[in-house]
Amino acid sequence: MRKPIAALAVAAALAVGAVDAQAQDRLVIAGRDAAFGTALARMVEAYQQRNPSVRIERLELPGGPLYERIALNARERARALDVVMLDDIWAPEFMANNWLADLDRLGGVPGTFVKSADAVSRNPVGTGPRFAAPMVGNVAMFAYRADLLAKHGLQAPRSWTEVAAVARTIQEREPGVAGVAFRGIRGNPIVTGFLPILGAFGGEIIDSQGRAALDSPAALAALEQFLALRPLAPRGVETWNATEVREAMEQGRIAMSAEFWPGWAGTLDDASRSRVVGNVNLVSPPGQTRGPAPMLGAWMLGVAADSPNAARALDFIRFVVSAENQKRIAIETGNPPTLAALYADADLVRQFRWYPAQLQALENAVARPRIAQWNRVEAILGEHLQMALVGQAQPREALAEANREIQRAIAR
Amino acid sequence: MRALNRPWLLLVLLAPAAALFLLLTVYPLARVFLLSFAASDHGFEGARFVGLENYAELLQGRSFRRAAWNTAFFALVATVAEVLVGLGLALLLDRAFAFRRALTLVVLAPYVLSTIVVAAIWRAWFHYDVGFLNNTLRALGLDGVPWLFDPNIALLSIALADVWQNAPFCFLILYAGLRSVPPELYEAARIDGAGAWLRFRDITLPLLLPYLFVAALMRTLDAFKLFDKVYAMTGGGPGNATETLSMHVHRLAFRFFDIGLASAAAVAMILVAGTLGAAYAVQLLRSEAR
C-alpha cells in the first residue's frame, strides 16, 4: 500500500513541477504601440532568439488602452500579464496600489540610469526600492527650425511670448509654414503640451499641500498664452497628436514645436524621411516668469505583482535595459536610452547630435505630480483645456471648472 | 400547444432561458443599480454607501449633461436621416431598371464593414488638409470644412458616417415592407387615376408604417449606444462636443475607476433607453391595432 501512495506523491510532485516549469516558459508583455512598440518588438525578437523555448506573447496598445489593460488585470488579479510597460505618470498609482513587483526583491536590475528617470522608478520617489526599470529616456524638448530663424534674422525664443512673436513673423514671411505646433487632442496630449507653459508662468496643477491649484492668476496667464498660439498653429491642431507634430516637423510644415519628445526625433536627420535634415534644433523649453523646467516623460518596464512568471519577466527587463540593447534600440529605432553613459557614446552622439543637450534636460527634468489620482486629474484638465482651445469655454471658466473637478478627484 | 396544458413542462422548457436571463441580464443590472448608490473603485469590496450622491454629482457636472445631450441629438439626427435615406433607397430599388442588382450590392456594401473600419475610412475622408471630401470641395473652388475639429459640426460629421454605414439596414427592412404590399392595390389606384404621390401617401406609407417603426426603433437604440465610431474618430472631442453617454460611462469606469459614478450614469442611460424603447413599442402596437 505504501508503494502506490509514494508513487502517487512522486507523480503529483512531478505534475506540479511540470505545471510550474510550463508557467516559467511563458511571458506575456503588455506594451505601447508606435515607435515604442517597434523598439519592444525588436527586443522580443532578440530575446526569443536567445530563449527559443519561451512562449512570448506581446500586446501592442496605444497609451489609454494600455493603462486600462494593466489596471484591469491588477484589479481583477487576473494573473494575465508578466511584463508591463508604463508611463512614469502611472507609476504613483501602480506603486501605491501594489500592482508592481519589487524588482530589488526579485533580484534587482543593474545599470546607472539618468537621475530623474531612476527616481520615478522607485517608491518612495528617489529613495525607495525599485518597482520599475526605465526604458525610454523621454524629456519634453522645444524644437525650432534653425535655418528659418537665421533666414529671417530671428533669435531662438527664450520665453513663450517670444515664441508667439517668432511664430507670427515666420507665418507672415514663409508661405506654407505654420509658426508653431503642439498636440491639441484632449487628454494626455493637450495637457502635456500645456504643462511646459504652465510651469514657465509659475502655475501648478496641485500645490505643495496637495490641493488643486489651477484657479490662479499664473495658470490663467499660462492658458491665455497657450490659446494665443492657436492662430499661429496649423488648422486642425485640435486633433493633432504625436504623429501629426512629428510629421509636420519632418516635412517642413511648421517652424517650431512647443513640445518635441526625443522619441519623435529619431528620423529628423534621416534624409529618406525628413526634408529638414540638420536644420532642427532641440533645446530645453522656454521659460517666462520662471526658468525652463523640462518635463520628464520616461517609459518604464515593470513586473506585474501577480505575474506567474516573475523571474522570467525580470530576466527580460534586464535584457532590454542592458547597455548593449539600449544602444541597439537607440540606433535602430531612435528611442532615447535611459542609461546615462550612453549619452556620451560616440556612435550615438554622431547619429543624434542633440544628445548632450538632452542629457542635460533629462538630468534637470521635472516629473509630473506624484499622486495616485494623476490619471483622472489629467483627463479632467485635458477635457477643459480643449474646451477652451475650441472656444467651448472661456479660459477662466475652464480653469475654475477643472479645478473643482480635480479637487473632488483628489479628495475621493 | 400541448405544453401549454402542462405547466411543469412549460417550466422545464423555459428554465434554461430564464436562468440565462437572470444570470446574464438581471444580475448584472441589479449589481449596477446597487453600485450606483456607492462610492467604489472596484466592486462591492471596499464600497461605501453614499445614497444619491453619485446622481447629484452627475447632474452637477457639465460633462454628463453634455454627453446626454450629444447622445439624444445624435440618436435623433442619425435615426431620421437613416430611415429617410433607407426609404429613398427602397423606393428607388423597388423599380425595375438596368444594373439594379449591382446597385443594390453597392448600397449594401457599407453595412457589412466593421464600425472600426468605417471610422478609419471616414476619418481619412474628413482630414482637413488631405481628406477626400475637402479635396473635392477645393477642386470645386470651395473652402475646406473642419469636419472633425469644429465643435459645432463634429457630431454631425460622425452622424454622416453613421448614415453611410447604417442606412442600408433601414433599406433592407423597408424594402422587405415594400415587397409585401399587394400590387393589386397600386393597380386599382392607377385605374382610379391616382398619381405617384397619392399612391405613395395613401397606400405605401400606411402599409409601411410598422416597418418604419421597427427600423426607427432599432436604429434609435443602436444610435443611443454609440461608442466605437466616436472613440475611433474624435475620442469624444473637440472639447466634449462628441462625447456620448456610452463613452462617458466607459471613461468613468475604466479610466477613472469611479465605479459608483459610472454605475449611476449607466442606470440613467438604461432608464432613457428603456423609456424610448417602450414609447416606440407602444406606437408600434397601436399602429398594428389600427
Side-chain angles (χ1 to χ4, degrees):
Chain A
M1 206 48 198
R2 273 187 188 170
K3 272 187 181 173
I5 288 172
L8 272 175
V10 169
L14 283 174
V16 168
V19 168
D20 196 42
Q22 204 174 21
Q24 291 296 325
D25 280 343
R26 194 160 181 268
L27 203 52
V28 182
I29 302 162
R32 272 294 309 272
D33 59 348
F36 299 158
T38 311
L40 201 55
R42 298 267 169 92
M43 287 297 101
V44 168
E45 278 169 28
Y47 189 78
Q48 183 74 80
Q49 277 176 2
R50 190 174 288 190
N51 302 278
S53 63
V54 183
R55 282 200 304 137
I56 306 179
E57 189 184 339
R58 184 174 66 87
L59 310 176
E60 185 174 307
L61 297 161
L66 178 62
Y67 166 84
E68 286 164 24
R69 179 69 66 94
I70 299 171
L72 278 174
N73 175 76
R75 283 171 183 277
E76 300 293 339
R77 298 184 187 92
R79 297 169 58 84
L81 302 176
D82 301 306
V83 177
V84 294
M85 188 175 186
L86 59 144
D87 194 342
D88 84 80
I89 54 177
W90 308 341
E93 180 184 7
F94 286 15
M95 292 173 187
N97 290 335
N98 297 317
W99 293 348
L100 297 175
D102 179 341
L103 299 188
D104 287 340
R105 273 197 195 167
L106 283 178
V109 179
T112 306
F113 298 102
V114 287
K115 200 174 57 184
S116 53
D118 185 63
V120 296
S121 64
R122 299 174 178 277
N123 188 37
V125 176
T127 57
R130 177 183 299 289
F131 285 88
M135 177 189 167
V136 182
N138 252 354
V139 58
M141 307 283 278
F142 179 82
Y144 69 90
R145 284 276 301 277
D147 58 329
L148 282 184
L149 266 64
K151 182 180 167 187
H152 297 291
L154 300 165
Q155 296 292 318
R158 284 166 303 170
S159 70
W160 289 99
T161 318
E162 286 180 19
V163 169
V166 169
R168 201 169 297 114
T169 305
I170 290 193
Q171 192 139 305
E172 283 164 7
R173 297 183 191 171
E174 284 286 333
V177 180
V180 64
F182 49 85
R183 290 190 292 165
I185 203 162
R186 81 174 192 169
N188 167 274
I190 194 169
V191 172
T192 313
F194 174 63
L195 283 182
I197 304 179
L198 181 70
F201 277 82
E204 290 176 307
I205 300 173
I206 312 286
D207 67 16
S208 53
Q209 275 82 46
R211 288 183 306 237
L214 274 173
D215 216 355
S216 70
L220 184 61
L223 181 53
E224 283 169 346
Q225 181 65 60
F226 181 61
L227 299 180
L229 298 181
R230 189 195 178 206
L232 307 168
R235 283 209 77 180
V237 78
E238 298 86 345
T239 60
W240 278 34
N241 205 339
T243 308
E244 285 79 10
V245 175
R246 176 183 180 164
E247 284 181 2
M249 184 55 89
E250 279 185 356
Q251 297 308 307
R253 291 189 282 119
I254 53 173
M256 294 179 285
S257 177
E259 54 150 1
F260 207 87
W261 295 86
W264 307 348
T267 47
L268 266 182
D269 284 351
D270 178 353
S272 66
R273 281 189 58 166
S274 172
R275 292 183 180 178
V276 291
V277 174
N279 291 329
V280 177
N281 280 359
L282 293 188
V283 294
S284 277
Q288 189 78 28
T289 58
R290 284 188 189 174
M295 188 169 54
L296 183 69
W299 281 80
M300 308 185 284
L301 293 174
V303 176
D306 62 357
S307 163
N309 309 303
R312 174 68 75 189
L314 179 71
D315 189 53
F316 177 77
I317 290 174
R318 281 175 172 169
F319 177 78
V320 175
V321 301
S322 65
E324 177 198 350
N325 284 318
Q326 283 274 291
K327 182 172 176 178
R328 183 178 163 188
I329 288 173
I331 287 173
E332 291 181 6
T333 69
N335 275 278
T338 50
L339 292 168
L342 289 178
Y343 284 89
D345 184 281
D347 296 336
L348 290 178
V349 176
R350 201 176 306 121
Q351 191 169 343
F352 305 112
R353 57 194 156 78
W354 50 83
Y355 262 25
Q358 189 178 324
L359 178 62
Q360 202 177 1
L362 259 175
E363 293 292 0
N364 298 313
V366 177
R368 280 160 278 188
R370 313 316 287 171
I371 53 168
Q373 306 92 334
W374 174 253
N375 191 42
R376 182 165 190 171
V377 167
E378 185 182 69
I380 292 168
L381 179 57
E383 183 180 340
H384 291 286
L385 280 179
Q386 214 203 26
M387 283 167 68
L389 186 69
V390 299
Q392 279 185 301
Q394 292 301 311
R396 190 184 297 273
E397 183 192 6
L399 288 174
E401 181 84 358
N403 207 58
R404 188 190 73 80
E405 290 182 24
I406 288 171
Q407 186 54 48
R408 181 185 181 274
I410 295 169
R412 213 177 135 251
Chain B
M1 285 302 283
R2 270 184 210 165
L4 288 176
N5 298 328
R6 297 180 199 166
W8 61 269
L9 183 58
L10 202 61
L11 278 176
V12 169
L13 291 173
L14 287 177
L20 279 177
F21 180 69
L22 284 172
L23 188 70
L24 300 178
T25 305
V26 176
Y27 170 69
L29 276 178
R31 198 178 153 89
V32 166
F33 184 70
L34 289 175
L35 280 170
S36 74
F37 300 105
S40 161
D41 64 357
H42 186 51
F44 288 114
E45 189 185 334
R48 181 169 51 85
F49 178 74
V50 292
L52 293 172
E53 200 180 282
N54 289 329
Y55 291 94
E57 173 62 23
L58 278 184
L59 293 175
Q60 196 185 356
R62 194 206 300 235
S63 306
F64 176 77
R65 295 201 305 269
R66 178 73 196 212
W69 162 253
N70 287 343
T71 307
F73 178 77
F74 179 86
L76 180 73
V77 170
T79 302
V80 169
E82 282 159 21
V83 171
L84 287 179
V85 173
L87 179 63
L89 289 171
L91 291 171
L92 175 72
L93 294 170
D94 192 37
R95 297 154 186 266
F97 60 89
F99 306 115
R100 186 172 67 109
R101 285 189 179 177
L103 187 60
T104 308
L105 285 177
V106 172
V107 163
L108 287 174
Y111 188 60
V112 302
L113 296 175
S114 85
T115 305
I116 289 297
V117 173
V118 170
I121 291 171
W122 278 86
R123 194 176 151 84
W125 285 359
F126 282 141
H127 195 284
Y128 184 77
D129 291 322
V130 296
F132 154 70
L133 295 177
N134 278 356
N135 280 346
T136 308
L137 289 173
R138 287 185 189 114
L140 296 171
L142 300 168
D143 285 336
V145 174
W147 299 100
L148 293 179
F149 62 83
D150 182 337
N152 297 314
I153 59 173
L155 195 59
L156 287 172
S157 302
I158 296 173
L160 184 62
D162 200 65
V163 170
W164 184 78
Q165 185 188 17
N166 290 312
F169 171 76
C170 296
F171 155 72
L172 281 176
I173 293 180
L174 298 174
Y175 184 71
L178 276 181
R179 304 301 280 182
S180 71
V181 178
E184 303 86 54
L185 292 179
Y186 291 118
E187 202 55 44
R190 258 194 214 100
I191 291 167
D192 288 345
W197 167 245
L198 279 181
R199 290 200 301 276
F200 175 73
R201 192 191 69 184
D202 296 337
I203 300 173
T204 311
L205 209 52
L207 292 174
L208 269 188
L209 216 50
Y211 296 91
L212 285 167
F213 270 127
V214 168
L217 171 65
M218 297 188 77
R219 285 312 311 145
T220 306
L221 292 179
D222 207 36
F224 204 78
K225 294 182 294 186
L226 178 69
F227 177 85
D228 34 16
K229 222 173 255 125
V230 179
Y231 190 80
M233 288 171 79
T234 62
N240 54 11
T242 60
E243 179 153 301
T244 60
L245 280 174
S246 298
M247 281 202 75
H248 192 65
V249 170
H250 174 268
R251 199 149 68 101
L252 291 173
F254 301 113
R255 289 290 294 174
F256 300 168
F257 291 97
D258 194 338
I259 302 297
L261 200 58
S263 299
V267 168
M269 195 176 156
I270 291 164
L271 284 177
V272 177
T275 310
L276 267 176
Y280 268 116
V282 168
Q283 284 298 320
L284 187 62
L285 291 172
R286 272 192 196 155
S287 72
E288 278 181 350
R290 270 185 222 130

